[in-house]
Amino acid sequence: MVGIKIRESQNVILTLEEASINNYMKREIELLAPGGDIDSIKAAVLAGADAIYCGLNRFNARNRATNIDFEDLYKVLSFAHRNNCKVFLTLNIIIVGNEIPALIKLLNQLVNTSIDGVIVQDLGLFYILSNYYKKLKIHASTQLTIHNEGQINFLNVLNIERVNLCRELNIDEIKELTLVSHKNNISTEVFVHGSYCTGFSGLCYMSSVSSGNSGNRGRCSQPCRDRYFTTKEGKDYPLNLKDNSAFFDLRKLHNAGVDSLKIEGRIKGFDYVYTVVNCWKEHILLFLKHDKLSEDRSDLYKVFNRDFSSSFLKGDINKDMFIDNPRDNSIKSLSEANNYSSDEEMVREREQYYNEKEEIFNSVQERVKSFELTKDPILIYASGKDGYPLKFLIKTLDITFTVSSEINLAKTNSKSKGLDYDEFLKRFSGLKNTEYYIEHMKVDDLESNLFLPYKELTIITRKILTILNGSKEKVVPINIPVLKREKTTKTEPTLSVLISSEKDLNECKKSNVNLYFQLPSCLKGQYSELADLFLENNTLIPWFPSLLIEENYNDAVKFLLHVKPKQIVTNNTGIAYEAYKKGISWIGGPYLNIVNSFSLLCLKEKFNCAGAFISNEISKKQIKSIKVPENFYLYYSIYHPILLMTSRQCLHHQVTGCDKESIDDDCIQNCNKSSSITNLKKDSLYIKKTKGNYHSIYNSKNCINTDVVTDFPDTFTSFLIDLRDIKTETKINTDKPELIKIFEKLVNGNPNAKKKIDKIIQNSTHTQYRKGI
């Protein structure tokens, strides 16, 4: 067979050569592989992964993967750890209120396993873990799109051990953030192979809005991969990116100090997982042993791919990153790599390719199927006689030990049943919730009709379970206090307005509302102008964006210190951290994805947050489950253009075209351009690029939700309307000052305001409020 090599070993996956290489390494670098089902997990371990990440049937961001149940998890832990492979469990979704009891039950089980870490997105879960489950190691998910120093400092308060840096960063940005992380004793992880998302992870609502399948719930239906009506540039799949592969960038990643190289693919098959992991493992070992990089990544083209790019990593974000076909690119890659002299040669080569692919599949399948995942066997020998302690000899694959009772055995009276096989089996029922099973238990050396107090039996079995659990005491189930709905003094809600131009400020500042001003993601070209604007209008409240990368984050912090606002709204946890440290009152924005009460507690107790917006992804029923902490303010947006995604890539390249091949600083600073695409269902999406901001896509219809005002009369402190100039198909038949007046009437309880708004604002939606996530 050409190319793929099947790693041969009996009990231990690492060969002696690889073990010696590991000892040679100047700095370890972990290869982290996906495990979407049992066969893929086995394939990853057999191919040499140092760690795998997998999900249970609930609470993970790959809902479409097969995933595993808890009984499988014990077997996976046993198999992986026996082969020097760590296991990280994905709990990387946002979690709504009615799921919290099931989540707590799961955590009470997990804390007594040998799991090596849990991968988390939800701020409420961070709070629960850092407060109540300190033994579980916390990894920050890619869904948090970590891209600046402040975000790492924010997460450090929540006791994380690892952070996944967002895929859009270049190598210099990765190096800088890795240095910051290491100063905080946090390791870094970077995706090096697999699908690129067009938009920043955790900030993409495209699937949620279009089909009700939220990416923040692991249900993304990938509408960015859909076919659209042919664009002006002749593209049918204008949002479809090539796959990520940093294969030739290994040295740069190693030199940048990255701790873990992560492969994407939990919905891919075992043959894909084995092939990619095997290829990367051999590449890493060659580099570590001989300081060389392989020039051959042909094996990566033998499994599903959309061609490859590492342009984000290189800092060259160009139009060649797109591919106008979302399907497997393997055959096309083969054709491009070979200059065929005839059609017959092409047919022969393709036939050989398919035969080789089938051979790879069969070989890997045979290897995978030959390993049966089981718990580790345990042998138990009980012995004892009247007047002596009860003794247990325990044998596992790794250790042998004895445990004896503190109290001597005694004869039972004639009516009582003595200790026997069945009684011990009952006593060892706790093994069911471990990585072990009783293969054999022998009681031949135990005299009959012997007695030991129940309490002493409990103590001795607990000792055995503790030793088997690595001498860690079992953590008793934690009962997290039920959050109560705090009594609050009824106050009338206010109206807040979001704007983004001086023209809007002049138009709206006479209104008696809270005025928020959207700052750009890149302040560099507008810093002085915007600083002066805020200093001249000291009631204006800065609204910080979700994305503030590298020097843009530093400029935002500088702006915060320069302007010294009394309060801010921020969608970026890095700025939240800075506001907290500097004693500036801050409100969490709607793109922090807040959907449960524990997230509010997290912001209030850990970061002295004054209030937060509830996510517009959740329904009326899901909002009802939220309990507001005492002296904390709740906000909700009732009118806004619906942001579907934000991308570091130029989204106009494939639609209307651009003279430039790549994005540069001038593009970010000065480009101001709009376009649209239409899917085959005839739904239009609006692409917007404004000065100082990244490319964004908006829904065709704006969200308007007047129902929430009457549904929750005593819950929200303020309701927001977003009046930034973002063109969609929603039409407003009045000017902004008049619109503000009508919304003020709605918030103040005027019964006619809702009807008037419905007449003035046409072609809108509030589907998410009805359906939720």
Side-chain angles (χ1 to χ4, degrees), residues 282-309:
E282 291 188 348
H283 188 44
I284 291 168
L285 291 174
L286 177 67
F287 171 67
L288 293 173
K289 183 179 181 182
H290 300 292
D291 196 32
K292 291 181 180 178
L293 295 177
S294 171
E295 296 180 1
D296 180 15
R297 65 173 182 183
S298 58
D299 284 345
L300 299 177
Y301 282 100
K302 294 172 183 175
V303 289
F304 181 91
N305 70 87
R306 301 179 185 94
D307 204 357
F308 297 121
S309 171

Side-chain angles (χ1 to χ4, degrees), residues 517-551:
F517 193 98
Q518 166 85 60
L519 296 172
S521 284
C522 181
L523 275 166
K524 186 162 53 177
Q526 306 172 59
Y527 183 94
S528 298
E529 179 187 340
L530 286 170
D532 289 344
L533 183 70
F534 277 89
L535 291 171
E536 291 166 9
N537 299 273
N538 58 10
T539 59
L540 196 59
I541 300 170
W543 177 288
F544 286 86
S546 301
L547 299 162
L548 293 162
I549 299 175
E550 202 182 26
E551 73 269 12

Side-chain angles (χ1 to χ4, degrees), residues 387-391 403-409 452-453 456-457 459-460 463:
Y388 290 86
L390 172 65
K391 183 184 288 186
V403 175
S404 300
S405 64
E406 297 291 330
I407 298 173
N408 291 338
L409 292 160
L452 199 66
E456 184 67 12
L457 277 172
I459 290 171
I460 198 170
K463 281 182 182 176

Side-chain angles (χ1 to χ4, degrees), residues 213-230:
N213 297 316
S214 172
N216 284 319
R217 296 281 289 171
R219 296 170 182 158
C220 180
S221 56
Q222 298 189 328
C224 57
R225 304 279 184 201
D226 286 350
R227 184 172 186 170
Y228 291 78
F229 284 105
T230 306

Side-chain angles (χ1 to χ4, degrees), residues 142 144-152 155 163-169 173-174 176-177 200-201 203 521 545-553 571-575 648 694:
T142 186
L144 289 164
T145 195
I146 303 303
H147 57 271
N148 66 46
E149 176 182 345
Q151 291 173 305
I152 292 168
L155 290 166
V163 61
N164 181 289
L165 301 177
C166 86
R167 300 175 222 218
E168 288 80 3
L169 298 180
E173 293 161 349
I174 288 169
E176 183 178 323
L177 293 184
F200 286 92
S201 296
L203 300 173
S521 284
S546 301
L547 299 162
L548 293 162
I549 299 175
E550 202 182 26
E551 73 269 12
N552 298 319
Y553 168 72
N571 294 283
N572 186 283
T573 54
I575 292 299
R648 204 174 188 183
Y694 299 108

Side-chain angles (χ1 to χ4, degrees), residues 69-84:
D69 59 29
F70 213 95
E71 186 64 21
D72 288 331
L73 180 62
Y74 288 124
K75 298 173 185 177
V76 167
L77 289 167
S78 175
F79 176 70
H81 289 161
R82 184 154 299 288
N83 291 290
N84 302 319

Side-chain angles (χ1 to χ4, degrees), residues 111-115 135 462 465-475:
V111 77
N112 286 306
T113 69
S114 60
I115 199 77
K135 289 189 176 181
R462 190 176 292 161
L465 291 173
T466 300
I467 294 169
L468 291 173
N469 195 34
S471 296
K472 293 186 292 183
E473 287 284 347
K474 183 178 180 181
V475 179

Side-chain angles (χ1 to χ4, degrees), residues 260-471:
S260 180
L261 307 180
K262 190 170 188 176
I263 296 167
E264 183 273 343
R266 279 199 290 136
I267 59 174
K268 303 290 203 310
F270 63 84
D271 56 321
Y272 174 93
V273 172
Y274 187 94
T275 303
V276 175
V277 173
N278 182 73
C279 188
W280 267 94
K281 186 67 176 183
E282 291 188 348
H283 188 44
I284 291 168
L285 291 174
L286 177 67
F287 171 67
L288 293 173
K289 183 179 181 182
H290 300 292
D291 196 32
K292 291 181 180 178
L293 295 177
S294 171
E295 296 180 1
D296 180 15
R297 65 173 182 183
S298 58
D299 284 345
L300 299 177
Y301 282 100
K302 294 172 183 175
V303 289
F304 181 91
N305 70 87
R306 301 179 185 94
D307 204 357
F308 297 121
S309 171
S310 63
S311 290
F312 279 134
L313 192 70
K314 288 182 169 68
D316 178 22
I317 304 171
N318 57 65
K319 63 175 65 177
D320 189 54
M321 291 177 70
F322 291 97
I323 183 169
D324 203 37
N325 180 3
R327 291 177 288 276
D328 191 0
N329 194 62
S330 300
I331 285 294
K332 187 177 179 183
S333 300
L334 182 71
S335 299
E336 290 173 352
N338 295 280
N339 186 16
Y340 298 123
S341 58
S342 65
D343 289 344
E344 289 78 9
E345 184 185 357
M346 180 182 70
V347 170
R348 281 197 307 274
E349 286 286 337
R350 288 191 176 185
E351 186 177 351
Q352 182 182 344
Y353 163 77
Y354 284 120
N355 289 338
E356 184 176 348
K357 194 166 185 176
E358 184 178 1
E359 189 177 348
I360 291 169
F361 180 91
N362 291 336
S363 298
V364 175
Q365 184 179 53
E366 183 180 350
R367 183 82 168 122
V368 164
K369 295 299 182 186
S370 70
F371 279 83
E372 185 68 31
L373 289 200
T374 63
K375 294 183 176 185
D376 280 354
I378 184 171
L379 304 178
I380 301 174
Y381 301 93
S383 62
K385 57 184 178 179
D386 184 18
Y388 290 86
L390 172 65
K391 183 184 288 186
F392 284 106
L393 174 66
I394 310 295
K395 289 186 177 182
T396 73
L397 294 173
D398 302 309
I399 57 173
T400 299
F401 62 93
T402 59
V403 175
S404 300
S405 64
E406 297 291 330
I407 298 173
N408 291 338
L409 292 160
K411 284 289 184 180
T412 66
N413 59 50
S414 57
K415 294 181 180 179
S416 300
K417 183 182 178 185
L419 296 174
D420 60 8
Y421 181 93
D422 292 337
E423 181 63 24
F424 289 144
L425 204 58
K426 193 188 301 181
R427 291 286 132 215
F428 286 108
S429 62
L431 282 169
K432 187 175 181 182
N433 297 320
T434 71
E435 293 157 39
Y436 298 93
Y437 74 97
I438 299 173
E439 184 178 62
H440 178 70
M441 182 160 60
K442 185 179 179 183
V443 296
D444 297 356
D445 294 330
L446 180 70
E447 285 184 2
S448 59
N449 299 320
L450 291 176
F451 166 80
L452 199 66
Y454 178 87
K455 184 177 180 181
E456 184 67 12
L457 277 172
T458 302
I459 290 171
I460 198 170
T461 53
R462 190 176 292 161
K463 281 182 182 176
I464 292 168
L465 291 173
T466 300
I467 294 169
L468 291 173
N469 195 34
S471 296

